[in-house]
Amino acid sequence: MSSDADPKKRSVSITISEWPSFRDDLRRVNLTEPQRVALLPLNVEKAATFAELVHANDSVPLVKLARLAKAPFEDVTPAGTKLPKQSLHSVDWVGPTLAFTQAIISNPAVMSVYLGLVSNYLYDLFKGRENDAVVKFSIVVEKRKSRSYAKIVYEGPLEGLKSLPKSIRRACK
Amino acid sequence: MTPEVQRVARRYEWVAKKLEPFIIGCRDLGLQRQAVRVARRLEDWLARRTAELGHSEHEEAANITYTLEAMTEAVRHTIALWIEFKADKAEKAWDELVAAQRTAEAALRFHPCAGNMRGLLAHLTALEQLLFPPMVFLSTGLIVGREECSLCHDDIEKCDHIPGRLYKGRCCVRVVKEIVRLDHASIVERPEDKRCYVRSFEVSSKERNRLTWKLGPKHGWHKLLSTEKMPAPPADAPSL
């Protein structure tokens, strides 16, 4: 059944939390710290080793679209390794974690290229069922002064994505 | 638009207009069956045009004809839904509804020329709500390894084809070559494939079909999937 009648499904939820152990977590699972922008596996926080890491299903098209737009994501995995992907069979979209450092955040034009890439991909993907779509993904940002990291978790409909830049600015303070 | 695509589009529009009346449920069953045959012929003809245009490097033209083929298929499934429904085949009717929705959505993604599929999708949503009960859907979560591109057969991560997009009238899809493990199976409100649903539930020593409400013999798998247990009927309740 369509979820149009269910207002809860269509509300936007954006939570911002500190991620003080971000660098340690990356080291623990043998990933390198991004220099500009990267797509991180879904379970960096919980995984104990590299072997447990899993990428989101749609990391592949996003990596390709970024490459074609000449704004590639960095590969933070050790050379020659590849991670398995989580393949979900639900209309709800669980996306990869995007990690932005200050090198990107300080340049709003470049930042908007990446956010536009994700939202354009999603609008394309959900054509015909825009009102039914629920997307969930995280953005990790490096803070301007402390250089520590914060995590923004977005869950909600497509039209709520336009509020993300404001949340990123707030998280970066 | 090239003259060849204009010719194809004119033929499509002419046949589509003839098919349109038959997406309504009260139409004659024989005429609806005939409409399905006409739609199939149009699809075959469009598939041949798509292949020709794709081979001759007319990428946009091939993508348009492929989209027209998907639009025809969506209409055909909508008519077939009624044929099955009127023949008392609720499960097949549901499958046709889902096929119509999926094809119409795909057409919308493929090319802007499929804009009128929004109207068909609204019609199908209404049919879903009026003709069928609320469904309990299932979804699997897999961990997958190597995936190939359906177009170039290279590792999906290496080539430039984007899954879900059209290239010379062919759709790029990810072909899973390695399943690492089954992560979970879950009950979801909005599955990717609405054909994955709980089909029956246990009623004493039998199973009741969720769509037809008929009682039938137990198949056993309901124990894994059944989400509700019916209370025992009162002793004087009439049998259905």
Side-chain angles (χ1 to χ4, degrees):
Chain A
M1 299 290 278
S2 162
S3 66
D4 285 4
D6 187 354
K8 265 194 276 179
K9 290 289 174 203
R10 305 183 68 190
S11 62
V12 176
S13 157
I14 300 177
T15 53
I16 302 174
S17 56
E18 299 295 318
W19 193 348
S21 62
F22 178 70
R23 290 184 178 90
D24 293 337
D25 288 341
L26 289 181
R27 266 194 296 274
R28 187 185 68 247
V29 293
N30 207 14
L31 299 179
T32 52
E33 189 182 341
Q35 298 305 302
R36 291 168 58 82
V37 57
L39 286 184
L40 299 179
L42 288 169
N43 54 343
V44 171
E45 277 170 292
K46 290 178 184 165
T49 64
F50 179 80
E52 289 177 21
L53 293 174
V54 173
H55 257 311
N57 197 29
D58 274 359
S59 56
V60 172
L62 289 177
V63 165
K64 289 181 174 198
L65 286 167
R67 196 168 64 211
L68 293 172
K70 303 208 183 316
F73 289 106
E74 292 164 54
D75 188 0
V76 292
T77 57
T81 58
K82 239 173 78 170
L83 292 176
K85 290 166 286 294
Q86 186 184 47
S87 173
L88 298 174
H89 298 93
S90 164
V91 169
D92 295 353
W93 187 80
V94 180
T97 302
L98 286 86
F100 293 109
T101 65
Q102 273 299 323
I104 289 284
I105 297 165
S106 58
N107 189 339
V110 180
M111 185 82 185
S112 70
V113 169
Y114 284 99
L115 293 178
L117 197 116
V118 175
S119 67
N120 289 343
Y121 173 71
L122 289 173
Y123 272 99
D124 238 22
L125 185 72
F126 285 111
K127 262 182 198 163
R129 51 183 185 187
E130 292 92 340
N131 297 332
D132 215 22
V134 175
V135 304
K136 184 179 178 180
F137 68 104
S138 304
I139 297 176
V140 178
V141 291
E142 187 185 25
K143 299 174 97 170
R144 198 171 54 238
K145 284 181 185 162
S146 65
R147 297 282 161 169
S148 62
Y149 283 86
K151 184 179 183 180
I152 304 157
V153 179
Y154 177 89
E155 185 167 3
L158 293 182
E159 65 262 27
L161 290 172
K162 50 183 175 280
S163 59
L164 266 176
K166 201 173 145 194
S167 303
I168 290 171
R169 280 197 297 276
R170 207 167 72 227
C172 286
K173 278 182 184 165
Chain B
M1 206 185 267
T2 63
E4 169 64 2
V5 175
Q6 282 176 355
R7 189 177 74 86
V8 171
R10 269 200 304 275
R11 177 151 180 191
Y12 164 80
E13 278 165 19
W14 188 80
V15 179
K17 268 210 171 79
K18 303 266 178 210
L19 296 176
E20 206 177 282
F22 298 104
I23 66 168
I24 307 294
C26 63
R27 305 300 186 205
D28 177 78
L29 197 54
L31 290 177
Q32 281 182 319
R33 287 199 177 107
Q34 206 176 318
V36 164
R37 285 195 291 274
V38 169
R40 271 193 197 283
R41 279 204 296 276
L42 178 61
E43 284 169 52
D44 291 344
W45 184 78
L46 287 166
R48 286 197 295 276
R49 298 292 82 77
T50 303
E52 284 166 13
L53 290 164
H55 285 138
S56 57
E57 304 291 311
H58 289 97
E59 174 138 31
E60 175 72 356
N63 291 347
I64 290 173
T65 53
Y66 187 85
T67 306
L68 295 177
E69 188 187 334
M71 290 161 70
T72 312
E73 193 183 327
V75 170
R76 170 169 61 80
H77 285 302
T78 309
I79 301 169
L81 179 173
W82 282 116
I83 294 173
E84 301 296 353
F85 194 84
K86 291 196 279 192
D88 212 11
K89 294 176 183 166
E91 291 186 342
K92 285 190 173 176
W94 174 260
D95 287 349
E96 294 290 354
L97 170 86
V98 176
Q101 287 175 329
R102 287 170 70 104
T103 322
E105 283 168 4
L108 266 175
R109 280 197 301 275
F110 290 155
H111 200 274
C113 72
N116 68 347
M117 286 289 105
R118 286 186 191 280
L120 182 67
L121 279 169
H123 178 82
L124 292 166
T125 302
L127 291 182
E128 179 182 340
Q129 290 170 348
L130 286 170
L131 300 181
F132 299 97
M135 306 287 266
V136 179
F137 298 112
L138 299 160
S139 159
T140 56
L142 304 172
I143 304 297
V144 301
R146 185 179 153 75
E147 290 176 294
E148 264 182 23
C149 169
S150 63
L151 301 182
C152 62
H153 305 291
D154 200 354
D155 186 325
I156 195 77
E157 292 180 29
K158 288 183 183 159
C159 70
D160 284 341
H161 298 119
I162 308 293
R165 290 200 179 167
L166 292 186
Y167 297 89
K168 294 179 189 170
R170 293 189 303 155
C171 183
C172 168
V173 293
R174 299 155 72 156
V175 182
V176 175
K177 304 303 277 187
E178 178 198 8
I179 295 174
V180 178
R181 65 173 190 275
L182 170 69
D183 192 49
H184 63 268
S186 52
I187 290 173
V188 294
E189 198 184 342
R190 295 180 299 278
E192 190 174 276
D193 187 348
K194 287 183 181 169
R195 287 168 301 184
C196 301
Y197 63 93
V198 177
R199 288 172 190 255
S200 60
F201 57 90
E202 188 183 352
V203 181
S204 58
S205 61
K206 293 191 169 182
E207 273 182 17
R208 189 182 292 285
N209 184 299
R210 288 182 68 94
L211 287 180
T212 64
W213 216 244
K214 276 184 183 168
L215 280 172
K218 268 205 236 180
H219 296 296
W221 53 267
H222 66 282
K223 284 177 188 164
L224 290 171
L225 305 178
S226 179
T227 55
E228 53 186 287
K229 285 234 173 190
M230 296 287 279
D236 57 345
S239 64
L240 293 175

